[in-house]
Amino acid sequence: MLKSMKKVVTAAALGALVAASPALADYPEKPVKMIVAFGAGGSTDTMARIFANYMAEELGQRFVVENRTGAGGEIGWVALAGSPTDGYSIGLINSPVIESYPITRADTIGYSMDQFRPLINVVTDPGVLAVAADSPYQTLADFVAAAKADPNSITVSHEGVGGDDHLAALTLASKAGIEVNFVSFDGNAEATAALLGGHIDAFEGNMSEAAAQISEGTVRALAVWSSERMTQIPDVPTGAEQGYDVISAASRGIAVPAGIPEDAYQTLLAAANNVVADEAFQAELANLNMPIVPIAGDDFVSYLNNSHETLKELWAENPWLEQ
Amino acid sequence: MDAVLVGLTNVFTLQAMTVLLIGTLAGMIIGALPGLSSTMGVALVIPITFSMSPESSLILLGAVYVSSVYGGSVTAILLRTPGTDASIATALDGYPLAAAGRGAEALGMATIASLVGGVFSVVVLIAIAPPLSKVALAFGPQEYTILAIFGMVTIVGVVSENPLNGIIAAFAGLFLATVGLDNFTGGQRYTLGMRELFDGVPLLPALIGLFSVSQAISLSLPRSGGILEDDGALAAKGRDLPAWLDLRRCFRTMMKSSVIGSIVGILPGAGTSIAAFISYNEARRTSKNPENFGKGELEGVAASESANNAVTGGTLIPTLTLGIPGNAVTAVFIGGLTIHGMIPGPKLFTDFADVTYTLIFSLFVANILFGVIGLFAGKYIVHVTRVPGGILGPMIMTFSVIGTYALRNNMFDVGLALAFGFIGFFMERWRYPAAPFVIALILGPILEVNFRRSMQISNWDMTTFFTRPLSLVLIALVAAAIIYPVMQRQKSRA
């Protein structure tokens, strides 16, 4: 009894010490703001709002989504980087886009990667290369052979220069030694319509956007750019299976401004780990065809660092934007 | 067939009707406030639908969507503050009518035209959605290029008063349309290093500035009256509803605009304003008195409003049948559908047919609901034109600032709207029309992007526009729209 009393007293004393810096004993004591760099109703926002609801359940405080959109996400990430470090501002980050801007927009960029402390990766949505159902290309090999026979003749869509779709197709082209004719689209909807209408030959996009069309058979995926086949589209072989080891994905995770109190970070991390393990959360994301790939804490930090370094090398080798 | 009946019975329950009424009223208010767009309305409602049944949530989303497009017409007509680009063409004739004391009549015409357009497009959606979705696919970048030019032909019509100033305004709009990151190369164009301009000059802050803020400044000037040019006497003369003869006269225009709106709606990436501009221009071209357009012609209101509401049903066709959203609002819709486990695509008409038909019938009812509310309330709402400018001006300014900030939670946009407000104010003073400026600003990027896409696909072969049947048909329509009025004028002179 006495022993446990002593423990309590020690704990209280320690607590008082910690509390000397602004009290965080009961973090979070007020609603937490979650900055989302893309518009309300989009796929990033949808995931963010579902995640915010589950975080709120875990921690007993509301997580309020604030959409700060523009400049392909940069405006939201600048806002996140400059947010107070009291633990009441967190944000959604999209990789590899967030690591690419400090490289491609070096002159004007408003944040640096070390202003963020990554918390957890939630979704990793692999790239797919797809053709219309009536396309002559049955396999990736057919596609590559046709591109070799007539360089620059096959039109391939992507959603903006320097995005993960574009980089994936560029990587394939360099590994296969082919040249394709890239056509830039503003979004998945227009690109899919152009593919189904026969205006372009192939579509490079993310799995979650194409999964419904693939399972209905209106679109045929030639390859998925993941290390293993995806349960959402089990019949689609990976690039590596067909001899082209291309790995590409769009990831969505959570980060906080660097310098938030360690115990707030740990509280958020524990709650986030519970959320991604929650079956109800998993079911909601399964409906959206978004594969959950949790990478937590320091693992997520090194994951982003590696990706940043890879992009830097790729850029040094062959800058993909006009400068 | 069973699913159709289930859908019908789902809509005619007390609960569904309550949701419909709430959604319709909310949508009308959202649409009327400057800065609150249909997209935002639907996005605001999505979190509420998480806890609702799939049927109720779709009913709510659908009602907010169709009635917010209609709601935009109210302020466009009475205050010349179109809430979104969809109702710019409505303001061209609606506002002169309101200023002349015929606001209630114009509102009535807008309501009936919206009702006709909305119901027409829902009927199209029920009857021939799957075959029509093929139309969406037939349009490639080449066709979108010509379509954007078709929309721009409207500029020729609206500048007839003062062609030189109109053309200068249009070129200024085109120039501003080039600002932003070039999505084809990644390079920056005229962004001045400001990341708020990377996506281009944000459209809604520009619109709110040019129309709402400039109007607020005009109204707030000392010795300016209210909206009514001559209060009292004029308002008493105005009718509460459009005359039967006027309605009959505009019926052809309403039907034609409904067809144009439904077709343009089907095309992802075309946009509501193209439908309204093309329809407005068509109505002017075939009118017996084209010179009345822009000065207060009910037919202009009818054309724009039936077109922009016909777009609502049209945009749902590729959304529901192909899973390809017809515009930003329906993209948010898809999010709402998938949350409830329904994947947009052919399965919506088989596996989830009852829910899908519930949505379609609720759109039908929502159109009628806003029609009834609008016709009944029009004669009361119109009193806003009698409010003194000194009160109305600051109110419009307040809503404009709040609405602009709410778009992206960004003070930059507010500053931009204020700057455009002053530009708009002086443009009006010095007789540079705002409409050509805005049309060029909206259609410029659609034209540029699709032209460059066409060039990428064809390897810089210009003949690509002339070797595709659909593209040729569109070129013929554009040529007719330009040449026909000239021939008419020649004939009347002879």
Side-chain angles (χ1 to χ4, degrees), chain B residues 56-247:
Chain B
S56 299
S57 59
L58 283 177
I59 291 174
L60 184 64
L61 291 172
V64 169
Y65 178 25
V66 299
S67 55
S68 62
V69 174
Y70 162 69
S73 72
V74 177
T75 39
I77 290 170
L78 297 181
L79 307 174
R80 206 205 61 185
T81 57
T84 64
D85 56 335
S87 31
I88 292 170
T90 311
L92 291 177
D93 282 285
Y95 182 65
L97 282 167
R102 295 171 69 194
E105 210 179 325
L107 278 186
M109 181 56 86
T111 309
I112 293 165
S114 301
L115 178 66
V116 169
V119 169
F120 180 91
S121 71
V122 176
V123 172
V124 169
L125 178 60
I126 296 175
I128 45 174
L132 260 188
S133 62
K134 298 222 164 65
V135 173
L137 303 181
F139 272 70
Q142 291 91 335
E143 283 78 20
Y144 280 108
T145 309
I146 311 293
L147 195 69
I149 295 174
F150 201 173
M152 284 192 178
V153 173
T154 320
I155 295 177
V156 180
V158 295
V159 302
S160 54
E161 283 277 285
N162 190 342
L164 182 65
N165 286 6
I167 287 166
I168 292 174
F171 273 103
L174 271 184
F175 169 70
L176 280 189
T178 63
V179 172
L181 281 187
D182 180 342
N183 204 16
F184 291 79
T185 63
Q188 296 186 17
R189 296 193 303 203
Y190 310 114
T191 58
L192 312 173
M194 287 188 265
R195 66 186 67 86
E196 287 85 357
L197 290 177
F198 281 9
D199 300 329
V201 174
L203 185 61
L204 284 174
L207 283 184
I208 292 168
L210 281 171
F211 292 106
S212 306
V213 174
S214 74
Q215 176 74 318
I217 299 171
S218 300
L219 285 170
S220 308
L221 290 181
R223 300 198 316 128
S224 86
I227 300 283
L228 274 185
E229 279 165 357
D230 174 12
D231 38 20
L234 270 173
K237 264 199 286 175
R239 306 170 52 96
D240 284 349
L241 289 174
W244 177 243
L245 262 176
D246 282 325
L247 279 179

Side-chain angles (χ1 to χ4, degrees), chain B residues 94-455:
Chain B
Y95 182 65
L97 282 167
R102 295 171 69 194
E105 210 179 325
L107 278 186
M109 181 56 86
T111 309
I112 293 165
S114 301
L115 178 66
V116 169
V119 169
F120 180 91
S121 71
V122 176
V123 172
V124 169
L125 178 60
I126 296 175
I128 45 174
L132 260 188
S133 62
K134 298 222 164 65
V135 173
L137 303 181
F139 272 70
Q142 291 91 335
E143 283 78 20
Y144 280 108
T145 309
I146 311 293
L147 195 69
I149 295 174
F150 201 173
M152 284 192 178
V153 173
T154 320
I155 295 177
V156 180
V158 295
V159 302
S160 54
E161 283 277 285
N162 190 342
L164 182 65
N165 286 6
I167 287 166
I168 292 174
F171 273 103
L174 271 184
F175 169 70
L176 280 189
T178 63
V179 172
L181 281 187
D182 180 342
N183 204 16
F184 291 79
T185 63
Q188 296 186 17
R189 296 193 303 203
Y190 310 114
T191 58
L192 312 173
M194 287 188 265
R195 66 186 67 86
E196 287 85 357
L197 290 177
F198 281 9
D199 300 329
V201 174
L203 185 61
L204 284 174
L207 283 184
I208 292 168
L210 281 171
F211 292 106
S212 306
V213 174
S214 74
Q215 176 74 318
I217 299 171
S218 300
L219 285 170
S220 308
L221 290 181
R223 300 198 316 128
S224 86
I227 300 283
L228 274 185
E229 279 165 357
D230 174 12
D231 38 20
L234 270 173
K237 264 199 286 175
R239 306 170 52 96
D240 284 349
L241 289 174
W244 177 243
L245 262 176
D246 282 325
L247 279 179
R248 230 179 48 189
R249 181 168 64 91
C250 296
F251 186 72
R252 256 177 63 96
T253 290
M254 285 191 228
M255 292 315 289
K256 203 162 57 175
S257 309
S258 300
V259 173
I260 296 173
S262 301
I263 292 176
V264 173
I266 295 168
L267 307 172
T272 317
S273 48
I274 289 197
F277 293 144
I278 293 180
S279 301
Y280 181 83
N281 201 46
E282 267 301 296
R284 201 183 56 92
R285 184 175 72 85
T286 54
S287 163
K288 288 201 186 73
N289 350 289
E291 67 280 0
N292 289 354
F293 277 72
K295 294 176 195 149
E297 170 58 65
L298 280 172
E299 204 173 344
V301 175
S304 164
E305 279 304 303
S306 39
N308 68 25
N309 278 83
V311 168
T312 55
T315 53
L316 282 168
I317 290 176
T319 313
L320 297 179
T321 56
L322 303 170
I324 297 170
N327 61 4
V329 187
T330 45
V332 177
F333 244 84
I334 287 196
L337 284 168
T338 42
I339 292 233
H340 288 291
M342 292 182 287
I343 307 297
K347 277 188 190 149
L348 281 184
F349 286 94
T350 53
D351 296 9
F352 306 106
D354 44 343
V355 183
T356 307
Y357 281 107
T358 306
L359 166 68
I360 294 175
F361 286 119
S362 70
L363 291 177
F364 197 82
V365 178
N367 272 296
I368 293 173
L369 265 181
F370 78 60
V372 172
I373 297 172
L375 286 178
F376 179 76
K379 57 175 180 254
Y380 303 107
I381 304 176
V382 75
H383 288 305
V384 77
T385 53
R386 297 172 128 180
V387 175
I391 295 171
L392 204 54
M395 274 175 67
I396 295 175
M397 186 67 99
T398 310
F399 277 118
S400 302
V401 168
I402 295 171
T404 314
Y405 181 76
L407 287 170
R408 301 198 293 181
N409 294 316
N410 200 326
M411 275 315 281
F412 179 88
D413 291 354
V414 177
L416 199 72
L418 294 180
F420 270 105
F422 281 100
I423 294 172
F425 177 76
F426 285 107
M427 279 175 74
E428 201 179 346
R429 279 248 142 151
W430 298 333
R431 305 196 155 269
Y432 287 89
F437 181 82
V438 168
I439 295 171
L441 183 63
I442 296 171
L443 299 185
I446 301 179
L447 176 65
E448 188 209 327
V449 160
N450 283 293
F451 176 75
R452 293 177 70 181
R453 228 172 254 161
S454 309
M455 290 298 99

Side-chain angles (χ1 to χ4, degrees), chain A residues 67 71 74 181 184 199 213, chain B residues 137 195 199 322 409 453 456:
Chain A
N67 301 94
E74 191 187 330
N181 183 5
S184 175
H199 308 293
Q213 313 272 5
Chain B
L137 303 181
R195 66 186 67 86
D199 300 329
L322 303 170
N409 294 316
R453 228 172 254 161
Q456 284 187 323

Side-chain angles (χ1 to χ4, degrees), chain B residues 1-89:
Chain B
M1 207 58 216
D2 285 352
V4 178
L5 285 178
V6 174
L8 261 179
T9 41
N10 276 346
V11 172
F12 290 101
T13 60
L14 184 65
Q15 196 204 353
M17 281 295 169
T18 317
V19 173
L20 262 168
L21 188 64
I22 294 172
T24 306
L25 285 172
M28 286 170 74
I29 295 169
I30 289 169
L33 293 175
L36 291 187
S37 60
S38 307
T39 318
M40 226 170 125
V42 170
L44 284 173
V45 171
I46 289 265
I48 304 173
T49 63
F50 282 170
S51 55
M52 299 167 82
S53 71
E55 288 86 358
S56 299
S57 59
L58 283 177
I59 291 174
L60 184 64
L61 291 172
V64 169
Y65 178 25
V66 299
S67 55
S68 62
V69 174
Y70 162 69
S73 72
V74 177
T75 39
I77 290 170
L78 297 181
L79 307 174
R80 206 205 61 185
T81 57
T84 64
D85 56 335
S87 31
I88 292 170

